[in-house]
Amino acid sequence: GTSLASLAGIYVYRRWLQDVPVKTVLAWAALASAPLGLTQLLLVYGLNRQLGIPDSLFAFGDSLILTVLGQLAFMPLLVLAADICPPGVEGTLFAGLMSVFNGAGVIGNEAGALLTQALGVTESNFENLGLLLIICNLSSLLPLLALGWVPDGKTQSDDASIDSGDDVSELEDGEGRAREATLAASASRSVDEDMAR
């Protein structure tokens, strides 16, 4: 299910968001994920059953939606990396990007575990689980503070296509799309491998 959701996120990005500035996509993905993540509170307090939605169906649907949003937030980073990547070092750049991504995931998991322990949430004590979910979901807005470092407007490949002749522009556009497709395919495989673990 989550693999298909990742593919759906890639499709949505390629179909409708490819020409939207990276900063805009990242901002809206972060702003949308926080309130959607808070819908897990419905599951915690059993409100989904009052709405006639079984726990398993609600959890599955919530996971799919958040996976699509996660992929929508990740794709612009891959596109940005493909645009700024010098030719010949694509593998090194992607390995470095994945290392940072996985390292951030480890830090996030450990921080979540420490917060869970600090709030006293265990397999038998769910008293502060709602508070834990609120803190974790609101912390997903923290990347908005770093959006100032993301370049505005056109990417380097866009600038190159304006300055170059038609044949050169088409060649550069093709190379950029090939790099972008390679990074996207590798990212999708990495996400699937992480989900499998």
Side-chain angles (χ1 to χ4, degrees):
T2 53
S3 297
L4 290 176
S6 292
L7 290 175
I10 292 171
Y11 175 78
V12 168
Y13 179 81
R14 292 287 293 167
R15 181 76 175 86
W16 292 289
L17 301 174
Q18 182 175 339
D19 296 324
V20 177
V22 172
K23 188 181 284 191
T24 303
V25 175
L26 291 175
W28 281 108
L31 290 172
S33 68
L36 284 173
L38 289 173
T39 59
Q40 295 171 353
L41 291 171
L42 297 175
L43 187 63
V44 170
Y45 295 113
L47 300 176
N48 58 297
R49 277 173 267 145
Q50 293 178 17
L51 298 171
I53 305 171
D55 291 346
S56 57
L57 182 63
F58 185 87
F60 182 70
D62 190 56
S63 175
L64 290 183
I65 291 170
L66 292 176
T67 300
V68 170
L69 274 175
Q71 196 65 39
L72 285 177
F74 193 49
M75 284 300 296
L77 297 177
L78 293 176
V79 171
L80 184 62
D83 281 339
I84 64 174
C85 180
V89 295
E90 291 88 353
T92 304
L93 177 73
F94 182 74
L97 186 63
M98 286 296 99
S99 296
V100 170
F101 180 72
N102 291 332
V106 169
I107 292 170
N109 286 339
E110 293 303 316
L114 288 173
L115 185 59
T116 302
Q117 185 177 16
L119 291 175
V121 177
T122 65
E123 66 275 359
S124 59
N125 180 12
F126 303 113
E127 185 179 336
N128 290 323
L129 184 58
L131 178 61
L132 177 65
L133 282 172
I134 291 169
I135 294 171
C136 289
N137 279 295
L138 292 182
S139 70
S140 69
L141 297 174
L142 289 175
L144 293 174
L145 300 174
L147 277 183
W149 294 331
V150 177
D152 281 323
K154 290 180 283 208
T155 58
Q156 289 181 358
S157 63
D158 293 334
D159 295 336
S161 65
I162 291 170
D163 296 337
S164 306
D166 291 341
D167 293 338
V168 176
S169 298
E170 289 175 10
L171 180 62
E172 287 177 348
D173 189 42
E175 289 174 353
R177 287 185 186 194
R179 281 198 307 257
E180 180 182 321
T182 301
L183 287 170
S186 299
S188 183
R189 279 195 302 273
S190 296
V191 168
D192 290 344
E193 288 170 4
D194 288 343
M195 294 291 179
R197 288 183 213 147

